[in-house]
Amino acid sequence: MEKFDVIIAGAGLAGLAAAYTLAGNDLEVLVLERGDYPGAKNVTGGRLYVNPVRDLFPGLWDKAPLERFIVHEGAVLMAKERSVAIHYSGHELRAEPHQSYSVLRAKFDRWLAEQAEAKGAMLLTRVRVDEVVKENEKIVGVLAGGDELRADVVIACDGVLSLVSEKAGLRAPGSPHDYAVGIKEVIALDPGIINDRFQLEGNEGAARLYIGEATQGLFGGGFLYTNKESISLGIVVGMQSLLETGSAPDAPALLDAFKQRPEIAPLIRGGTTEEYAAHVIPEGGFKALGRLYGDGILVAGDAAGLALNIGFTVRGMEYALASGYYAAQTVLKAKEAGNFSSENLSIYKQYLEESFVLKDFKNFQEAPAVLSNPRFFRHYPDLVGNLLADIYRVPPGPKERLYPTIRKVFSLAEMWSQFKDLREVTRI
């Protein structure tokens, strides 16, 4: 029976961040990954906000295989026959150090795994963790690939439907309301074509979010990120929405329809799909977070529910990296004390509460409830599109004045409903 200081289940960003930090402190660290290689089954829209985690991993970012730094932000309200786009570009987005980058996980995760291995971590791929090993209700290891492997502490980083934390009794199966399914394609394009179509120069990048008909009015949205030689394009759809709308097309069909929209098709024309993937995403926010620690175990990344959708930004990778780092710091403290009890490991939650991670989740804890309002996905894209269609229309005869045009779209009842929705948005 083999014994390690730490066993990490999952070689995603949380697991690799923990391994990188721990191995640099002379601990025996074993990372178990179910995929063929780190990043093989990890799916993300493709954007990493570096600023919050820059100082946690000094010296790492200059060498990291990041794609493009984002200088153009975009949001598009999609109605059935029209759309309204907002584009933003600011000097601060071009200033160094850059705020965020597009990322390809198959490339980035493999590179981060190499950095962790270079520090001494051991990585085993194609190995699934099937069970946790308990003694006197304390986690003392895992069963993986038919072998019992022991450790002072286990860090569960095995994704949104974490079997390890569930087997350890730290989480119960979640509600469909707290999850979404993301479907993504990576579409290869010449870098010059990408720059021309998105008005970019050099290694500049663009990010766009789409709401409304991107998901045919269902909770969720579309996304697009430019990489060096490809575009990451996809949709995210709430599981509850898919379950409640029996007549809705399946999620892959939604992505196919999204790609054919006139706002999207010219941007990907001539491209070749290199990667197609789907992934479950935590959407419950602060109120859906499970227990983060127990006797002999910590939970990090998606396994802990650490992804945050606040409408204009969708974040997860930096929370995964930070939670892995703070899980490692917790293990180092526990190792120093020679005690891996739940009480000693509880400092992990304190670390997260004092960092940007749980401060963000608390600040935006109302976001999931506010964004679940179906009017944001079914009504407002049509409303704004219809209003602008009337404003820009030049008829054969005389054109109506602006105020009556607006009144046609906004009745008193409509204005009151929008006032209530706006008041709800202020909770975010």
Side-chain angles (χ1 to χ4, degrees):
M1 183 189 307
E2 292 192 72
K3 172 76 162 47
F4 299 86
D5 291 312
V6 186
I7 292 175
I8 299 171
L13 294 184
L16 293 173
Y20 178 85
T21 306
L22 289 167
N25 285 274
D26 298 323
L27 270 70
E28 285 190 281
V29 180
L30 175 64
V31 184
L32 301 175
E33 166 57 37
R34 183 160 55 95
D36 291 340
Y37 55 85
K41 62 181 185 61
N42 297 330
V43 181
T44 182
R47 184 174 186 177
L48 170 62
Y49 292 89
V50 178
N51 280 346
V53 294
R54 191 182 303 278
D55 293 340
L56 301 184
F57 306 95
L60 201 62
W61 305 109
D62 291 340
K63 302 175 290 183
L66 304 169
E67 293 293 308
R68 293 173 179 258
F69 58 92
I70 304 302
V71 299
H72 292 299
E73 303 277 7
V76 182
L77 293 175
M78 275 189 170
K80 287 186 177 179
E81 298 178 346
R82 52 187 59 89
S83 63
V84 178
I86 299 171
H87 294 287
Y88 174 75
S89 181
H91 171 74
E92 76 285 353
L93 298 178
R94 289 185 170 84
E96 295 186 9
H98 300 301
Q99 172 178 284
S100 67
Y101 291 82
S102 54
V103 169
L104 292 171
R105 291 291 298 276
K107 184 188 300 184
F108 186 85
D109 288 21
R110 273 189 282 192
W111 173 83
L112 187 55
E114 290 170 0
Q115 310 312 303
E117 287 182 293
K119 284 180 172 286
M122 182 186 301
L123 170 66
L124 295 179
T125 59
R126 302 179 186 178
V127 177
R128 186 180 69 184
V129 176
D130 297 308
E131 185 61 84
V132 295
V133 179
K134 293 183 181 181
E135 284 185 359
N136 301 319
E137 297 306 310
K138 180 182 184 295
I139 306 301
V140 295
V142 299
L143 291 176
D147 295 322
E148 181 176 315
L149 305 170
R150 297 235 170 178
D152 292 326
V153 62
V154 172
I155 305 179
C157 305
D158 52 331
V160 58
L161 303 177
S162 174
L163 176 67
V164 174
S165 59
E166 186 174 324
K167 294 283 188 179
L170 298 183
R171 69 184 291 270
S175 162
H177 183 270
D178 296 330
Y179 299 102
V181 59
I183 303 178
K184 168 189 169 182
E185 289 188 22
V186 176
I187 302 169
L189 275 174
D190 181 85
I193 293 176
I194 293 173
N195 285 359
D196 287 344
R197 289 180 181 176
F198 292 90
Q199 300 178 331
L200 304 171
E201 293 184 1
N203 206 35
E204 294 177 344
R208 293 180 186 174
L209 298 178
Y210 302 82
I211 190 172
E213 279 298 307
T215 53
Q216 298 185 12
L218 300 178
F219 172 84
F223 59 84
L224 182 153
Y225 301 104
T226 58
N227 307 310
K228 287 181 178 178
E229 299 179 344
S230 64
I231 289 173
S232 293
L233 180 75
I235 59 169
V236 175
V237 190
M239 285 191 173
Q240 189 68 41
S241 292
L242 287 172
L243 291 174
E244 290 175 350
T245 311
S247 60
D250 59 23
L254 288 175
L255 177 57
D256 290 339
F258 179 53
K259 290 171 62 180
Q260 294 169 19
R261 289 279 308 198
E263 299 89 346
I264 300 298
L267 300 177
I268 61 174
R269 185 177 295 124
T272 303
T273 299
E274 290 187 325
E275 178 185 323
Y276 186 96
H279 196 59
V280 179
I281 302 167
E283 285 276 351
F286 181 75
K287 296 178 181 179
L289 294 179
R291 284 189 62 197
L292 299 170
Y293 60 90
D295 282 331
I297 187 168
L298 298 166
V299 189
D302 275 3
L306 294 175
L308 188 59
N309 176 7
I310 56 178
F312 51 89
T313 60
V314 181
R315 298 169 55 188
M317 285 191 280
E318 62 271 26
Y319 297 129
L321 287 166
S323 62
Y325 171 84
Y326 288 116
Q329 295 300 322
T330 302
V331 171
L332 293 174
K333 281 277 189 183
K335 180 74 173 178
E336 187 180 328
N339 185 339
F340 296 90
S341 67
S342 178
E343 182 179 2
N344 252 31
L345 295 179
S346 67
I347 194 174
Y348 174 52
K349 185 178 181 182
Q350 181 182 331
Y351 282 146
L352 293 178
E353 287 175 335
E354 293 173 352
S355 75
F356 74 96
V357 177
L358 287 187
K359 286 181 179 178
D360 280 354
F361 274 76
K362 288 179 181 178
N363 284 342
F364 296 100
Q365 61 183 296
E366 301 298 334
V370 173
L371 294 176
S372 65
N373 183 345
R375 290 168 62 87
F376 291 129
F377 309 96
R378 300 172 188 165
H379 179 66
Y380 287 121
D382 277 323
L383 182 72
V384 176
N386 291 339
L387 173 62
L388 290 176
D390 282 346
I391 288 175
Y392 285 114
R393 182 177 293 116
V394 178
K399 181 171 175 60
E400 196 170 42
R401 291 186 302 114
L402 187 60
Y403 180 70
T405 299
I406 295 174
R407 280 295 303 269
K408 262 195 320 185
V409 177
F410 293 94
S411 66
L412 287 177
E414 176 62 44
M415 290 173 67
W416 175 244
S417 295
Q418 289 167 48
F419 172 76
K420 290 193 294 183
D421 289 347
L422 181 61
R423 186 175 58 187
E424 282 294 293
V425 169
T426 62
R427 296 165 58 196
I428 298 180

